[in-house]
Amino acid sequence: MVDAVEHIHVTCAVINHDGLVLAARRSASMSLPLKWEFPGGKIDKGESPEECLKRELVEELGIQVCVRKNLPVTTHHYPTFKVTLHPYICSINSGEIVLNEHDAITWLPPEKLYTLDWSEADLPVIDSYLAEHKAAI
């Protein structure tokens, strides 16, 4: 018999500002410690991905965002769980970033995103974003 693996659905925000993209580093106490990710979180029952993303970014970073465009949904299998990411390109509407869960953030030009040590589930999001970004130039 195969053990059931938890499958979570998570949103994430590729936040653009002045040509740069926000990356957030998970704290040492979080799962996947010290890995970089696009901020977001688990979708609650009855919540749309867009509603989740807006809620999570207020909770995690203290910012209100405008959801601009969705990117392709991807699923990644970690050894102990499976995550389906619902990524969106966003911009900040209001608020100043406060780190409530992450231990660091950085703003990078899109071509420098791969210089960080990303959580594996976020890598296809980078690919999709870069393809979208190049198409828009």
Side-chain angles (χ1 to χ4, degrees):
M1 184 171 140
V2 176
D3 291 332
V5 174
E6 182 183 17
H7 184 186
I8 57 174
H9 288 263
V10 174
T11 58
C12 67
V14 180
I15 300 173
N16 294 305
H17 182 70
D18 291 337
L20 301 176
V21 178
L22 179 74
R25 189 172 68 185
R26 298 175 67 83
S27 72
S29 63
M30 296 170 80
S31 63
L32 306 172
L34 305 179
K35 292 287 190 176
W36 290 88
E37 68 176 1
F38 295 112
K42 291 181 188 176
I43 301 171
D44 289 341
K45 186 173 178 150
E47 186 176 50
S48 74
E50 294 90 346
E51 291 168 336
C52 169
L53 192 57
K54 289 178 179 182
R55 174 184 55 75
E56 286 283 350
L57 291 173
V58 168
E59 291 173 7
E60 290 184 6
L61 298 175
I63 56 173
Q64 300 277 341
V65 296
C66 178
V67 178
R68 301 273 181 209
K69 180 175 182 154
N70 63 309
L71 293 171
V73 173
T74 64
T75 299
H76 183 77
H77 299 263
Y78 287 102
T80 57
F81 66 98
K82 177 168 65 169
V83 61
T84 296
L85 274 181
H86 300 259
Y88 293 87
I89 297 173
C90 300
S91 59
I92 297 175
N93 266 353
S94 64
E96 294 293 323
I97 294 176
V98 177
L99 300 181
N100 294 318
E101 293 187 16
H102 297 87
D103 74 353
I105 60 164
T106 190
W107 292 93
L108 293 171
E111 64 274 10
K112 299 283 187 187
L113 289 172
Y114 280 114
T115 63
L116 300 176
D117 183 18
W118 290 88
S119 68
E120 292 176 21
D122 284 83
L123 295 175
V125 176
I126 296 172
D127 292 339
S128 297
Y129 174 73
L130 291 176
E132 180 74 26
H133 179 72
K134 286 177 186 168
I137 294 177

